[in-house]
Amino acid sequence: MTPEEFRRIGHALVDWIAEYRSGIEQLPVMSPVAPGAIRAELPARPPERGATLDSIVDDLNRIILPGITHWNHPGFFAYFPSNTSFASVLADLTAAGLGAQCMSWQTSPAATEVEEMMMEWLRQMVGLSPQFTGVIQGFASTATLCALLCARERSTNFSQDRGGLQAEEKGLIVYASEESHSSVWKAARLAGFGKENFRQIPTDENHALIAKELEIAMQTDHERGMRPCAVVATTGTTNSTALDPVADMAVLARLWGAWLHVDAAMAGDAMILPECRWMWGGVEGSDSIVLNPHKWLGTGSDLSAYFVRDTEQLIRTMSTNPAYLKTQHDARVKNYRDWGLPLGRRFRALKLWFLLREQGVEGLRARLRRDLQNAQWLKEQIDAAQDWERMAPVHLQTLCIRHLPAGWAEGAELDAHNLRIAESVNRRGRAYLTPSILKGKQIIRVSIGAETTERRHVETLWRELQEVASAVQ
Ligand code: PLP
């Protein structure tokens, strides 16, 4: 492709994205295709000859678009948001155009230094003290794996340089609430702790970890000759945005010499609002923190910010330093290849830079406050409705609710009824929700926060929920 052809088709694709975004509200939020439908449209063998990019754009409309679930749709109330603002789209296009690698400072000094400054800006934005230094990881799952690897190495005085975990006399234990994200126990398994050494601590009526239960578990493990190694606190659990008692957990972690990691994948974004910071009170006592600007803030995947107190610990755990990667500047610069798992790294900081320059922190704060207000409005409607029930506090933008018609008892029928409501709303195409289970009960989970979602969309959702609830009864 010549630069001229690239220019022509590139402009057409930017137009295509703008058209897509401006008409997104007319599309069904959740892709309606059946499993295998998209695959069936693709030839079984790779093309021998190249085709024009115009024909590829035709296929984008015909094959790809029907198989997309629209995360930037104003009716997107599922999971947590994954906002990809226009500024971020353009930055990713630019980063791809530059094709820069930021594994080492020398392989693209701008990529490293912009990342350094973006993490410094973000640290200030969320109100963390300068004892924390940030680095971009792809996803929160990777950041939590990094945290548990560092915890393992700190507890064993770098057993990876000897016989590894297999040579350790005492079993190392990881603790997190029963409501912690699946990425936490996945990280514990992958880091070699083993399922038997992962403790799921019970939660209270607000679905937050009970500190007393953690205390008992750590004491019991110690008495059994095990070593408490890592504690993961969640600020804003996936199910219900529950808030673990970070300050109490920090005290216990310190008492047993365990690493404290705070998983604030979603709620961390809210810390750009000073009025939300009480939610992770005690965070300064942690060893590491993860938050995802790619959820609510709008950088698009993949931009997870991992903040650590002891960068030397991280680098010693992660670095390899073979001769072919050494450069003359190594003593004076950050080489991010030593701050995480992969060697190669995209220039991801560019999209945070574009986003922050375009919207300013004030712009982001205004949007998040809008979403918090919309969530409070919906909470008021639920609380006022006789046959609806709220199943968790609404700290942020997520509501856990269920329909409870008069005279219905707890049990399988009620659960099935609520699952039917969620599935039916999703099939209608105007909104997309996540059904989930909270303390054994079927809930309908409403997560507000797509960049395009205004009050009227939340009002429409509430009307639709009520209509569907009476229709499926
Ligand atoms: N932790 C929490 C609390 C989450 O809600 C999620 C995803 O929603 C994750 C971790 C995993 O995030 P990622 O997809 O960035 O790995």
Side-chain angles (χ1 to χ4, degrees):
M1 191 187 303
T2 64
E4 281 63 41
E5 281 173 315
F6 174 78
R7 195 190 314 276
R8 186 182 63 78
I9 200 78
H11 285 170
L13 269 176
V14 168
D15 284 344
W16 186 91
I17 295 168
E19 283 288 308
Y20 162 67
R21 288 289 182 99
S22 57
I24 201 168
E25 198 165 345
Q26 273 63 57
L27 299 170
V29 195
M30 183 183 78
S31 168
V33 301
I38 306 299
R39 202 191 145 107
E41 292 287 338
L42 301 172
R45 293 177 177 282
E48 284 297 328
R49 297 222 177 92
T52 62
L53 266 168
D54 299 275
S55 68
I56 304 174
V57 175
D58 287 346
D59 285 349
L60 203 55
N61 286 310
R62 191 176 61 82
I63 304 175
I64 305 299
L65 204 52
I68 296 294
T69 290
H70 306 287
W71 287 67
N72 290 271
H73 192 294
F76 188 92
F77 299 105
Y79 308 103
F80 279 139
S82 178
N83 288 321
T84 309
S85 68
F86 280 132
S88 159
V89 174
L90 292 175
D92 258 352
L93 179 65
T94 312
L98 291 170
Q101 265 283 359
C102 83
M103 57 191 191
S104 305
W105 178 86
Q106 195 186 60
T107 60
S108 271
T112 295
E113 294 188 14
V114 172
E115 179 163 340
E116 262 183 272
M117 281 316 293
M118 290 311 100
M119 290 299 95
E120 170 57 19
W121 285 6
L122 191 62
R123 180 191 69 70
Q124 294 175 29
M125 283 164 62
V126 298
L128 286 174
S129 76
Q131 68 171 332
F132 289 101
T133 307
V135 55
I136 297 177
Q137 306 285 350
F139 289 88
S141 308
T142 324
T144 296
L145 177 59
C146 286
L148 292 192
L149 292 171
C150 287
R152 186 190 73 191
E153 292 311 298
R154 192 176 75 178
S155 275
T156 60
N157 193 20
F158 290 90
S159 66
Q160 66 182 9
D161 296 335
R162 305 184 305 276
L165 263 193
Q166 299 180 61
E168 286 302 301
E169 274 173 29
K170 287 187 172 184
L172 303 182
I173 313 290
V174 177
Y175 307 83
S177 102
E178 59 188 359
E179 282 289 314
S180 64
H181 190 262
S182 57
S183 58
V184 180
W185 57 259
K186 183 171 179 176
R189 278 189 332 206
L190 293 179
F193 290 95
K195 193 175 170 194
E196 288 172 10
N197 299 316
F198 181 63
R199 304 273 178 269
Q200 289 190 296
I201 306 299
T203 54
D204 63 17
E205 68 285 3
N206 290 330
H207 318 292
L209 177 142
I210 301 169
K212 189 70 197 164
E213 297 281 353
L214 176 64
E215 186 183 343
I216 294 168
M218 293 177 99
Q219 178 70 40
T220 309
D221 282 326
H222 168 72
E223 283 163 11
R224 289 171 53 223
M226 316 295 265
R227 194 181 318 159
C229 171
V231 175
V232 180
T234 309
T235 298
T237 58
T238 313
N239 241 348
S240 69
T241 61
L243 307 168
D244 285 349
V246 179
D248 293 345
M249 294 169 81
V251 171
L252 289 169
R254 206 173 312 121
L255 185 68
W256 293 107
W259 186 281
L260 178 64
H261 175 61
V262 177
D263 177 1
M266 171 67 186
D269 288 356
M271 302 310 157
I272 66 168
L273 306 176
E275 67 269 28
C276 286
R277 292 191 190 143
W278 63 268
M279 295 182 195
W280 69 1
V283 71
E284 290 289 328
S286 69
D287 293 287
S288 58
I289 304 153
V290 64
L291 59 105
N292 280 353
H294 69 218
K295 283 187 161 37
W296 204 359
L297 291 190
T299 57
S301 290
D302 47 346
L303 203 151
S304 192
Y306 180 55
F307 286 95
V308 282
R309 183 205 297 274
D310 184 350
T311 53
E312 282 311 309
Q313 172 75 32
L314 175 64
I315 292 167
R316 187 165 164 201
T317 304
M318 297 291 164
S319 71
T320 49
N321 220 16
Y324 49 80
L325 291 177
K326 287 191 172 49
T327 73
Q328 58 179 343
H329 303 290
D330 286 351
R332 287 190 295 140
V333 296
K334 287 196 171 87
N335 287 320
Y336 281 128
R337 62 162 197 267
D338 293 335
W339 291 57
L341 270 57
L343 168 63
R345 306 175 88 248
R346 294 191 322 114
F347 189 178
R348 289 174 293 212
L350 199 67
K351 52 189 172 179
L352 191 52
W353 191 50
F354 270 43
L355 179 76
L356 293 178
R357 293 196 55 186
E358 191 244 340
Q359 302 203 1
V361 185
E362 251 339 302
L364 296 178
R365 283 200 193 110
R367 174 159 59 77
L368 266 52
R369 287 193 176 117
R370 173 202 67 179
D371 295 341
L372 295 177
Q373 282 162 12
N374 285 342
Q376 286 304 315
W377 178 85
L378 185 57
K379 170 181 176 277
E380 284 160 21
Q381 311 311 307
I382 302 287
D383 289 351
Q386 289 210 324
D387 48 358
W388 286 84
E389 193 182 9
R390 190 161 50 78
M391 311 295 282
V394 183
H395 299 300
L396 288 166
Q397 42 57 265
T398 301
L399 291 97
C400 296
I401 59 176
R402 69 173 176 176
H403 187 230
L404 181 59
W408 284 46
E410 203 65 66
E413 211 179 317
L414 182 63
D415 287 348
H417 171 66
N418 277 281
L419 186 58
R420 266 198 306 276
I421 296 173
E423 286 175 347
S424 174
V425 168
N426 290 350
R427 266 197 310 275
R428 284 175 160 212
R430 269 206 302 242
Y432 182 33
L433 306 157
T434 308
S436 188
I437 307 279
L438 195 56
K439 294 260 164 45
K441 294 173 186 166
Q442 179 69 54
I443 57 156
I444 300 169
R445 189 178 161 286
V446 180
S447 162
I448 298 168
E451 199 177 11
T452 47
T453 304
E454 301 288 348
R455 172 66 59 81
R456 68 186 168 89
H457 302 106
V458 184
E459 288 168 0
T460 306
L461 170 72
W462 175 223
R463 272 197 304 277
E464 183 141 359
L465 276 167
Q466 293 172 97
E467 268 168 43
V468 170
S470 24
V472 300
Q473 213 163 307

